[in-house]
Structure formats: structure tokens, C-alpha cells
Amino acid sequence: MSAVAAFYAGSGGLVAALEEALDAAGVDRSALRAVDLGPVDEFHIRGRVATLEIAEALAVGAGSRILDLGSGLGGPARTVAVETGCTVVGIDLTPEFCEAATVLSSWTGLSDRTDFRTGDATRTGLHDAAFDAAMTVHVAMNIADKPGLYAEAFRTLRPGGRFVVYDVLQGEGGDVHYPVPWANDPTTSFLATPEEMRVLLADAGFELVAESDSSDASLAWFRQVRERIETEGPPPVSFAAFLGESFPQMAANQVANLAESRIRTVTFVCTRPA
């Protein structure tokens, strides 16, 4: 797992890089909203649109406590907090991400609604049944111990609570083209198939409420992003802030992987039985 954390940490200095990029673009960090950070902190396919779908599927409201396993830079946590009025605890393996997520929440006035902690998503140390809902957003691709991940989600979720998984899965088109935004090569990439996911979630004790494959929409989203960059230029700060010079190749491979059905994007909505 240390190799995964090292991959996402990049060359270090992430907070400084974000500050520099925003300042260079003339962005007033004291007036930022969560939605303004989408190009960098919604680090998943289909971005904010997908996060809003997750927020609705969680079926929570003000006063609810949500667990975000693999919270990254905290974009989904902040969006869900703003949209539903809940509070979110995020767990992520990469200390640099947790530091940046905490800073981004302070810039957007959400420090009191989000709490980011460095930890292992398969062994969080959190109390049993402590959360009203839980989510993972593009996380399990880096976790070999998927039974441990989903067992931990089940353990920390109250009976009747919802668990929403939005992940990149192995498609029927063959091996993945690397590098991709979650891995430079197969040594830290662990994709499950949709069929395997259904078994993993059921074995953890969850009941499946809904499943939706957004692969076609994901491919269209990538093409729209590319067209927007070609006409308007890149956003002031993007995933390249921590993925570095390899990001253009990673993005190109993602498009090819989707177009060739080597990967799929699928959302699972589950409940812990009451």
C-alpha cells in the first residue's frame, strides 16, 4: 500500500502547487466555493455530475454522518456536505491528500463539516455502526483486499444505512492500457469485474438496491472535457498538479480503455440490512 500512497503523493508539495496554480490564475482563495474546485478535487470520471448522483443515492440529510473511504482531495466529501447538509469523515492512505483536503475545506468554509484522516480503508479504527451512510469513489482499483474494504464499510455503517460504490471495473475488452490516473502499471492496480463486485458486496453482508453502468456517459464526458480544453484552454488547476507530466498520457489511455471496453464505470447502491 505504501507504493499506492507514493504514486498519489507525486513529487510532494501538493498544497503549495495548488496555491501557486490558483494564485497564478487570479483566483481569490478567500472566496472559493466547493464547486469551484471541481477540476482538481473531483478526481474521478464524470466529476461533479457523478458526485451529485452519489449524494442523491446516499439518501441522507442534515445531521447525518457519512464515511468516505478513500477520500482523496475531499471533493466528493465537500460536495455531499454542501448538497445534503451532512458531515463527512474521510479516510485516505496518502497523508499529502489528507493535508490538501483539509486545506481545501478551510478555503471553502467547510472545515466544520468535513474531517480528513490518514488511514487504511480496510482497517479504519472507527467505531461500529458510527455512520448513517458510506461511500467509495474510484478507490477499490488500488486495493487488493476488497473483502476487507467492504467488510469495514459494513462494520462502520448503522443498520439500514446506505453504501454507495462508484468505481472503475475490469471490462471485457482485455488488459488495461497503462499508465492510468490510478496506477503506472499493473502492480498497484486491482480491478474487479461487475460480476465479482456483486459477490464481494453480498459476501460482506450488503443487499444490492441498484446497479448502473455509466461507461458510455464516461466516454462522452472525456470527449467533452477534451473539446472544452481545446476551445477554452485548461482549467487553472487540474489533476496534473499531482499526477505531473504523465497526466496527458494517462488521460489518453483512459479514453482508449473506455472506448475498447477494457474498463467500465459502475455504481452500486447497497444497504446494510436493518
Side-chain angles (χ1 to χ4, degrees):
M1 296 298 283
S2 60
V4 174
F7 170 80
Y8 287 114
S11 58
L14 180 54
V15 171
L18 294 172
E19 289 176 339
E20 182 179 353
L22 290 169
D23 291 347
V27 176
D28 181 2
R29 283 185 273 125
S30 67
L32 276 175
R33 302 167 300 160
V35 67
D36 299 325
L37 292 169
V40 66
D41 70 357
E42 296 277 12
F43 182 42
H44 52 271
I45 300 171
R46 295 192 301 121
R48 181 177 171 81
V49 170
T51 307
L52 292 174
E53 293 172 359
I54 293 166
E56 182 177 2
L58 288 168
V60 296
S64 298
R65 295 188 76 230
I66 313 304
L67 176 60
D68 185 2
L69 291 165
S71 49
L73 292 174
R78 280 185 289 275
T79 296
V80 169
V82 169
E83 294 297 318
T84 70
C86 71
T87 59
V88 185
V89 173
I91 302 293
D92 200 275
L93 188 68
T94 306
E96 192 108 18
F97 272 9
C98 293
E99 177 191 4
T102 299
V103 170
L104 293 174
S105 282
S106 70
W107 290 349
T108 53
L110 290 167
S111 294
D112 61 334
R113 304 265 296 283
T114 57
D115 176 15
F116 300 102
R117 310 175 188 181
T118 303
D120 184 342
T122 67
R123 293 181 296 275
T124 64
L126 298 167
H127 293 302
D128 291 353
F131 294 91
D132 300 296
M135 61 182 179
T136 63
V137 184
H138 285 25
V139 171
M141 307 102 70
N142 289 125
I143 298 178
D145 183 15
K146 288 177 176 56
L149 172 65
Y150 300 131
E152 188 69 352
F154 188 89
R155 183 188 67 79
T156 55
L157 189 61
R158 67 166 175 79
R162 284 199 169 189
F163 178 42
V164 180
V165 177
Y166 175 46
D167 245 324
V168 177
L169 304 184
Q170 178 64 53
E172 64 277 17
D175 294 340
V176 171
H177 297 302
Y178 292 95
V180 286
W182 71 87
N184 283 321
D185 56 56
T187 61
T188 55
S189 179
F190 310 100
L191 300 187
T193 66
E195 294 78 12
E196 289 168 341
M197 281 294 300
R198 296 180 199 114
V199 173
L200 284 162
L201 291 167
D203 285 350
F206 288 108
E207 293 181 353
L208 185 61
V209 174
E211 175 183 338
S212 58
D213 187 313
S214 55
S215 302
D216 290 343
S218 293
L219 182 58
W221 177 81
F222 268 114
R223 289 171 172 162
Q224 290 166 2
V225 169
R226 182 176 60 193
E227 291 171 2
R228 187 163 59 248
I229 290 174
E230 288 174 350
T231 57
E232 303 174 9
V237 59
S238 70
F239 307 144
F242 54 92
L243 291 177
E245 296 179 357
S246 298
F247 177 64
Q249 184 60 55
M250 291 174 174
N253 284 342
Q254 284 287 70
V255 173
N257 286 325
L258 279 163
E260 297 167 12
S261 299
R262 296 174 187 270
I263 61 173
R264 308 202 70 81
T265 54
V266 183
T267 302
F268 300 89
V269 181
C270 314
T271 59
R272 173 173 174 172

